[in-house]
Amino acid sequence: MKKIYGSAEEALHGILNDGMLIAAGGFGLCGIPELLIDAIVKSGVKDLTVASNNAGVDNFGLGKLLATRQIKKMMSSYVGENAEFMRQYLSGELELEFNPQGTLAERMRAGGCGIPGFYTQTGVGTQIAEGKEVKVFNGKEYILEEGIFADISIVKAWKADETGNAIFRKTARNFNPPAATCGKICIIEVEEIVPVGSLDPDAIHLPGIYVHRLIQGEHEKRIEQRTTRKKESA
Amino acid sequence: MAWDRNQMAARAALELEDGTYVNLGIGIPTLVSNFIPEGVSVTLQSENGMLGMGPFPYEGEEDPDLINAGKQTITELPNTVYFDSAQSFGMIRGGKIAMAILGAMEVAENGDLANWMILGKLVKGMGGAMDLVAGVGRVVVVMDHTNKHGESKVLKSCTLPITGKGVVDRIITNLGVIDVTHKGLHIVECAEGVTREEIIAATEATIV
């Protein structure tokens, strides 16, 4: 089966529908699927629910899909680096479901493993627990959280071989592997597609079984907070 | 004389135990890494997927693929390891991180912590704070004893929405060090020039 597509538009052809649930990788602007987001903007698909730790910034990352009003609901742990997001949220145009960061990651991981729910101590006694089942194990309270089963996953990796075996680079890995596993169809964009056999099988982060469609392209990789130190003078 | 930000961070650094894995929050907790005592070696976790967090990069050496949980560019160390967010919070929830040092808006005498929602301000989300306080071995809060209106941030009960219930073990403020015990709040140490009576007077919660 051919997994490699010529462009993000081609890779998304025929699988985008209004109202669908998309799981997206990335933390802040690090390791986000820039090319696939751009192609979803172009497609005009709307009423999307997006599970992503953050919501991008104005005019970059998921901020682009917010600018075009294609997102109906976000499932995130931290948002608001984005004026347009806040405007839409405060005016009631955009729904927001806060998830503790680890709960969001585990919900994606669980969905990818076929686990519909799990109990966690995170959020017990807080607003997050409202309306959720509470169960006591060994005298401690836990709340029930549900696995995320997305329609598609959009993911950014560093390199992949032609069969989709993928590796990530440094902290750009973040939500990408759990997001990749929880979608019925997973599309990944990489900086480089390499021949089968050129990646160490012991060093693969995401086995190609999870990857259905694959594209290669140039990434801007914008830095959100540039922090540096001065070299001590000799 | 109360402690300043750096003195609070230096005091918090004395909480670090050699050979442990620790998560430092944003603000004063970040400064703690400048005061790690000699002979103490700790590995810093960044919850976006890294153990062994190094300092900021030199100018021109920033890597967009290498950031901390505050989205700042950082560097790696010889013992650095990367992993995905599910595994990162697996080690947090699983109790593998010995301690988190975090900032707070309010702490209650039963150990409740509020640090994710300010009333009248836009809510940006809890990020990883709820997972951290629920999962790590020990939670140390570093914060000013009072807010900018001079009101106590150590309270009988939190007025803001909480991040975690009964999760705080120790509070380090500009006035001193207070432990949350099952009997109530207990003063462990006073900052130089600060008396026990002054701490009690500045605290809305009951000190036992």
Side-chain angles (χ1 to χ4, degrees):
Chain A
M1 195 186 90
K2 172 186 162 294
K3 289 188 180 178
I4 302 171
Y5 287 72
S7 68
E9 288 78 7
E10 283 176 39
L12 290 169
H13 183 74
I15 57 173
L16 293 177
N17 294 301
D18 290 349
M20 75 191 316
L21 171 58
I22 299 178
F27 181 91
L29 302 180
C30 181
I32 59 170
E34 301 175 18
L35 308 174
L36 290 162
I37 290 169
D38 285 348
I40 294 171
V41 170
K42 273 190 210 158
S43 78
V45 67
K46 58 183 194 301
D47 295 329
L48 300 171
T49 297
V50 181
S52 167
N53 189 55
N54 312 96
V57 296
D58 285 311
N59 301 315
F60 195 64
L62 291 173
K64 291 181 177 180
L65 275 170
L66 287 162
T68 53
R69 314 278 191 92
Q70 287 168 270
I71 299 179
K72 185 184 70 177
K73 180 181 174 183
M74 287 294 307
M75 298 161 74
S76 305
S77 86
Y78 195 84
V79 295
E81 305 294 350
N82 184 327
E84 177 60 14
F85 182 100
M86 279 307 179
R87 196 200 61 71
Q88 289 182 25
Y89 174 54
L90 292 173
S91 69
E93 293 163 55
L94 179 71
E95 286 172 57
L96 172 60
E97 178 192 297
F98 274 130
N99 285 254
Q101 194 176 141
T103 295
L104 183 65
E106 188 64 13
R107 290 185 64 192
M108 291 182 182
R109 196 196 72 84
C113 297
I115 296 172
F118 58 92
Y119 291 96
T120 177
Q121 239 186 300
T122 302
V124 169
T126 74
Q127 284 188 0
I128 292 305
E130 285 170 17
K132 290 174 183 164
E133 185 197 321
V134 178
K135 190 163 174 157
V136 176
F137 294 89
N138 296 320
K140 280 187 181 168
E141 287 185 352
Y142 296 78
I143 55 173
L144 178 65
E145 294 281 1
E146 292 181 8
I148 291 174
F149 299 87
D151 295 303
I152 65 168
S153 303
I154 56 173
V155 162
K156 155 76 173 50
W158 180 32
K159 294 177 182 181
D161 71 19
E162 295 141 324
T163 68
N165 292 320
I167 57 173
F168 301 87
R169 188 170 173 275
K170 304 186 188 286
T171 57
R173 192 181 322 179
N174 56 62
F175 275 80
N176 281 296
T181 63
C182 77
K184 282 193 211 75
I185 302 173
C186 168
I187 312 105
I188 74 169
E189 57 180 66
V190 299
E191 294 171 42
E192 191 184 358
I193 297 174
V194 297
V196 167
S198 59
L199 296 176
D200 176 356
D202 270 330
I204 304 291
H205 300 134
L206 182 69
I209 187 169
Y210 294 109
V211 177
H212 304 95
R213 301 183 178 199
L214 175 62
I215 56 161
Q216 174 183 309
E218 294 285 324
H219 291 82
E220 177 185 335
K221 298 213 275 187
R222 195 181 291 183
I223 291 177
E224 201 163 340
Q225 305 272 350
R226 190 176 296 274
T227 44
T228 59
R229 65 188 151 136
K230 291 258 180 289
K231 276 199 171 120
E232 283 137 46
S233 45
Chain B
M1 268 304 285
W3 284 326
D4 63 20
R5 284 165 65 87
N6 280 314
Q7 287 169 316
M8 287 159 72
R11 177 58 190 82
L14 300 179
E15 303 293 317
L16 300 170
E17 281 182 39
D18 188 37
T20 57
Y21 295 87
V22 175
N23 186 294
L24 302 179
I26 292 164
I28 301 174
T30 306
L31 299 175
V32 172
S33 63
N34 299 332
F35 298 98
I36 298 173
E38 213 168 303
V40 172
S41 162
V42 293
T43 304
L44 300 180
Q45 199 230 24
S46 190
E47 65 265 26
N48 54 319
M50 175 184 202
L51 277 167
M53 185 168 38
F56 292 152
Y58 292 122
E59 229 161 89
E61 293 177 8
E62 308 91 322
D63 183 339
D65 289 337
L66 183 43
I67 63 169
N68 63 17
K71 284 117 186 176
Q72 299 170 313
T73 47
I74 47 159
T75 54
E76 63 188 20
L77 299 171
N79 67 336
T80 291
V81 56
Y82 301 107
F83 33 82
D84 68 54
S85 300
Q87 185 167 19
S88 181
F89 284 92
M91 63 184 73
I92 289 169
R93 211 184 294 105
K96 314 301 174 187
I97 305 292
M99 182 166 66
I101 302 180
L102 302 169
M105 295 156 198
E106 295 176 350
V107 178
E109 60 191 35
N110 63 352
D112 285 2
L113 168 71
N115 73 351
W116 77 284
M117 241 184 185
I118 312 171
L119 296 180
K121 263 198 153 184
L122 251 30
V123 181
K124 292 190 168 189
M126 72 293 288
M130 284 190 182
D131 310 274
L132 277 162
V133 299
V136 302
R138 185 171 158 77
V139 173
V140 175
V141 162
V142 184
M143 65 176 191
D144 282 327
H145 206 94
T146 55
N147 65 22
K148 57 175 184 281
H149 307 297
E151 297 155 347
S152 175
K153 293 171 71 175
V154 184
L155 303 170
K156 286 188 176 17
S157 63
C158 289
T159 64
L160 297 170
I162 63 168
T163 310
K165 201 172 133 183
V167 293
V168 176
D169 295 289
R170 177 164 276 194
I171 312 164
I172 298 173
T173 77
N174 51 320
L175 300 184
V177 181
I178 298 172
D179 270 356
V180 181
T181 71
H182 61 277
K183 288 181 190 155
L185 298 178
H186 171 71
I187 297 173
V188 177
E189 195 178 319
C190 300
E192 288 81 17
V194 175
T195 65
R196 215 183 122 77
E197 288 65 37
E198 283 169 328
I199 294 181
I200 292 169
T203 307
E204 194 248 8
T206 310
I207 305 272
V208 294

